[in-house]
Amino acid sequence: MVHPQPDPPAPAAADAPKPPSPKPAANHQQPVDHVDFQSRLSSPPYRLTDPRWDHIVIALKSGIEVAADKVPIQLATFLQGVKNIWLFGDGVMRVGDYEMVDVVTGTYDAAVKRLEKQGRLEAARAWSPMKVKYEEEQKKKKQQKKKEQKNGGKLVKRDVSPTQESPLSVRLEKRAKTDIEVKPDQESMGWKNDAHKNIPAIRELVNRYPGAEWYVMIDDDTYVFMENLNRVLHPLNPDEPHYLGAPNTFRDCDGVTEMGDGPLFNHGGSGIVLSRGAAREMLKIVDECIVRYHDCFAGDVRLGLCLRDAGILANYKYPGRRWFNPVTPHWTTHPYYDDPCKRVVTFHHLSKATMQKLYDIERYVHNRTISIAARHARDKLDLVNPTTTPHLFFSNGTQPNVFSHLSLPPHLPSPFSAPIHLEDMWYHFVDTDAQLPDIEHGIARAGEQYLVYTGTKDAKHCRWLCSREERCVAWHFIPNGRCEVKDSVTRPIRTRGHASGLIKGRFRCKARTY
C-alpha cells in the first residue's frame, strides 16, 4: 500500500520566530558521536583529481611495519591527482584515509580448499602445460640460433654495461639522503611476506575496480610520472592482454636453474602494468597460481609465471627498454643510455627526500610548460591538438573542464600535467649536482662508446678529448692509454686504475613533446 506524502510546511515569514530546538528526554544522554564512524572512513574525502587518469588504478604494495612511514610521501606527491588508489599488504591498518587490505593471511589455505572442492588441486601442484610449451619453443629457438651461428661465422658480441650495483655508496655517506638508493629491510615481516602479495592482489583489484582499464602495481618506494604513464598507455587497447614494465630474467623458480632459460617477468619495484584484458585472463587461474608458485622467492616472478600460464608474456616490444626503471635517477645508479627526450615513467628505491625532489621537478616542469604555452600563444603557434597530442584529451576531442576555474593555458589539461623528459632528470641530478667530480677515479663506465682514442696520457687527457667533442657526454679512461668517448652514460663499476667522468650541460632534448 502506498501512503500519500504529506504536504510540505508553508514557508515561515521572514520575521517569524524560529521554533525552539527539541530538548532530549530527561534521563537520555545525547551521544557524542551519533554517526557511524567506520562508514565515514570507508572512502577518502573528495579530492581534486585528474579525470584523464580515472581509467587507471594504482595498487600500492607495502607492509604493515613500514606503510605508515613510506606511503604518506607518495600520497602527498604524485598520487595527489589519482582518483583510484588501493593499498594492499600483509595486514590491516590505515594510512591517512586509506585502509590497507590484507591479501596474505589465509590466502593460500583458501585457494587450496577451493581447488579441492573443484577437483583441481593435483593439477595445480603439477607443472603448468604452458611451461612445457614454452620450454619446447625456447629449445627450438636455441637450436636455430646455434645453426645460424655455425653457418654465419663469428658471433658478434656487443659491449654492454654491467649490471652490478653502484660502487659509490661508500663515498656518499656524508651526502644528503636525497639521492641515495633505499633498499628494503629484508628482515622485516613485510619483506618476508612480499612474495605472497602480488597474485592475490590482482583478484582483489578486479573485484574492487571492475570498470578500470589499467591496473598498475607499484612498491612503496616507487615514483610514477602519471602524465607519462597515461601517454604510454593511450595508444593501447585495454581489452587486449598487455603486460608492461621492466622485463627481467630469473632463476630458482619453476625449475629454472640458469638466467634466461625461463620467461621474462616484469620487475615489481619498477612498476607492473596489466590491462583489463590481461587481468581477466589471469583471474581464470589465480588459485592454481597461488598454490603452484607458493615456494617461489619473489612475488613479481610468481606474477610473471602466472601470466605465462595464462598465455601472456613480458617482452621488450612496447614501450621498449628503460621506461620503467629499477633504480634512482642519480648519476651513481641510473644509466642515461637513451634519448634525452624519452618520457620515462617510473623510478625505484627512492628515499622520501628523493620523492619530494621528483615532485618538485614535476612542479618546475609544469610551470615551465605554462611559460612555453604563453610564448606559443603570443606567436600564434598551435602547441597541441587532439591529433598530435591525443593523451591530453578525452576520446571525443574535448579536454577536462573540472579545472576551468584555475585559468590554465589552453593546452594544459590539468594542474597535474607535467611532461617529464629524461633531460629533466639529467639537469636536476647531474648538471646541478655540485658533488659530481670532474674525474671519478677508480671507476669504469664500460660500453656505449662511439669513438676510441689510443695513446692517451692520463684521465685528464681523456676528459679533454671528450670535452672538445660536442656529442660526448661521458668518457672512460683505461690504464693502457685507451680513451672511450660516449654519447650515453653507463653504470659505474669500481675498477682499479680506471677513471671516468660526465660532461655537464651536454644531455639535451631538442624536440620536447607534450
Side-chain angles (χ1 to χ4, degrees):
M1 179 176 180
V2 179
H3 297 280
Q5 297 293 325
D7 294 331
D15 55 350
K18 295 182 179 180
S21 301
K23 295 181 180 181
N27 296 326
H28 177 70
Q29 184 178 2
Q30 191 76 3
V32 176
D33 188 0
H34 56 280
V35 179
D36 182 1
F37 185 64
Q38 288 301 322
S39 66
R40 293 175 61 183
L41 290 177
S42 60
S43 61
Y46 174 76
R47 296 181 298 121
L48 187 65
T49 58
D50 195 323
R52 295 173 305 138
W53 305 337
D54 286 356
H55 62 304
I56 301 172
V57 180
I58 299 294
L60 179 52
K61 181 176 70 172
S62 188
I64 196 168
E65 296 174 331
V66 298
D69 179 57
K70 290 189 170 186
V71 171
I73 186 64
Q74 294 174 300
L75 298 175
T77 54
F78 69 92
L79 290 177
Q80 278 191 62
V82 180
K83 177 182 178 181
N84 301 314
I85 303 170
W86 183 62
L87 179 63
F88 70 99
D90 55 343
V92 177
M93 64 175 294
R94 297 195 65 82
V95 180
D97 293 306
Y98 297 89
E99 182 170 351
M100 178 186 286
V101 176
D102 184 357
V103 297
V104 175
T105 306
T107 300
Y108 177 79
D109 293 336
V112 169
K113 289 180 180 179
R114 283 191 292 267
L115 290 172
E116 277 183 331
K117 187 175 181 180
Q118 299 165 7
R120 300 188 308 176
L121 183 58
E122 293 306 316
R125 285 174 170 163
W127 292 121
S128 164
M130 292 301 295
K131 168 183 169 63
V132 178
K133 180 180 178 181
Y134 176 84
E135 289 178 346
E136 289 176 351
E137 291 176 352
Q138 290 300 107
K139 186 177 180 179
K140 290 180 181 179
K141 288 180 181 180
K142 287 182 178 181
Q143 290 174 348
Q144 181 65 24
K145 187 176 181 180
K146 288 181 179 179
K147 185 177 179 180
E148 290 175 357
Q149 292 175 1
K150 183 177 180 181
N151 296 335
K154 295 181 179 179
L155 174 64
V156 178
K157 293 185 178 180
R158 183 168 180 257
D159 188 12
V160 297
S161 69
T163 57
Q164 292 96 320
E165 290 186 54
S166 167
L168 303 186
S169 57
V170 176
R171 290 165 53 185
L172 292 175
E173 287 178 357
K174 294 184 179 180
R175 92 181 265 113
K177 292 185 178 180
T178 309
D179 306 321
I180 297 177
E181 278 195 305
V182 176
K183 299 296 179 70
D185 179 9
Q186 298 188 12
E187 296 302 318
S188 68
M189 286 305 299
W191 173 260
K192 293 177 180 178
N193 288 328
D194 187 76
H196 304 303
K197 300 172 185 176
N198 297 57
I199 292 178
I202 298 298
R203 175 162 49 201
E204 286 291 325
L205 266 176
V206 177
N207 289 340
R208 290 168 182 266
Y209 300 92
E213 296 181 358
W214 299 96
Y215 303 100
V216 183
M217 189 175 291
I218 63 172
D219 285 359
D220 54 16
D221 57 352
T222 303
Y223 195 100
V224 182
F225 297 115
M226 291 299 301
E227 187 71 30
N228 292 357
L229 174 64
N230 185 54
R231 189 173 188 268
V232 165
L233 298 181
H234 188 273
L236 302 177
N237 182 354
D239 289 317
E240 295 176 352
H242 295 290
Y243 171 37
L244 309 179
N248 211 333
T249 58
F250 70 93
R251 66 180 182 186
D252 301 329
C253 281
D254 198 40
V256 176
T257 57
E258 297 292 335
M259 299 292 284
D261 283 353
L264 293 173
F265 74 98
N266 286 325
H267 178 247
S270 306
I272 298 172
V273 182
L274 287 184
S275 66
R276 177 169 57 198
R280 287 175 178 173
E281 286 299 312
M282 182 181 153
L283 281 186
K284 300 174 183 177
I285 56 171
V286 164
D287 283 338
E288 286 92 330
C289 293
I290 291 173
V291 173
R292 181 176 292 142
Y293 302 118
H294 184 68
D295 294 329
C296 182
F297 68 94
D300 47 10
V301 177
R302 293 187 192 186
L303 183 62
L305 291 172
C306 188
L307 286 163
R308 186 271 314 271
D309 294 352
I312 303 166
L313 294 173
N315 60 68
Y316 291 107
K317 293 180 182 179
Y318 186 88
R321 296 173 183 264
R322 292 180 291 275
W323 293 77
F324 299 81
N325 295 283
V327 293
T328 78
H330 192 253
W331 51 270
T332 59
T333 56
H334 182 63
Y336 285 84
Y337 291 114
D338 300 297
D339 182 356
C341 298
K342 175 175 261 189
R343 298 279 293 272
V344 290
V345 177
T346 66
F347 286 101
H348 180 44
H349 285 319
L350 304 176
S351 67
K352 288 178 284 189
T354 303
M355 286 199 186
Q356 181 62 50
K357 183 172 181 176
L358 291 177
Y359 178 72
D360 292 341
I361 294 172
E362 283 199 281
R363 296 297 88 209
Y364 168 82
V365 170
H366 175 82
N367 293 332
R368 182 185 63 193
T369 307
I370 291 178
S371 301
I372 294 173
R375 186 165 64 250
H376 279 254
R378 181 194 63 202
D379 298 335
K380 298 182 179 180
L381 298 175
D382 185 15
L383 186 61
V384 299
N385 58 64
T387 302
T388 59
T389 54
H391 57 283
L392 300 181
F393 297 80
F394 289 135
S395 58
N396 61 0
T398 62
Q399 289 182 292
N401 60 5
V402 178
F403 311 109
S404 57
H405 65 287
L406 298 178
S407 301
L408 294 169
H411 86 282
L412 274 183
S414 84
F416 305 105
S417 176
I420 295 290
H421 296 70
L422 193 57
E423 179 203 342
D424 299 313
M425 300 296 102
W426 176 277
Y427 176 77
H428 289 277
F429 286 92
V430 178
D431 287 349
T432 60
D433 191 344
Q435 296 193 35
L436 174 65
D438 290 339
I439 299 176
E440 300 172 280
H441 292 285
I443 298 298
R445 292 182 179 269
E448 301 297 326
Q449 60 271 8
Y450 69 87
L451 187 61
V452 175
Y453 293 96
T454 57
T456 311
K457 297 178 182 178
D458 52 25
K460 289 183 179 180
H461 187 198
C462 186
R463 186 181 191 281
W464 177 80
L465 291 171
C466 177
S467 64
R468 70 176 189 173
E469 295 268 346
E470 185 176 352
R471 179 182 172 186
C472 183
V473 298
W475 55 272
H476 173 207
F477 173 73
I478 302 173
N480 62 5
R482 176 184 171 96
C483 176
E484 301 171 348
V485 296
K486 312 164 187 291
D487 55 4
S488 60
V489 181
T490 58
R491 297 188 75 179
I493 303 299
R494 187 173 296 282
T495 310
R496 181 178 298 178
H498 290 232
S500 298
L502 311 179
I503 305 296
K504 293 183 176 182
R506 292 281 179 87
F507 197 75
R508 290 292 177 263
C509 174
K510 297 180 181 179
R512 284 182 170 269
T513 55
Y514 298 93

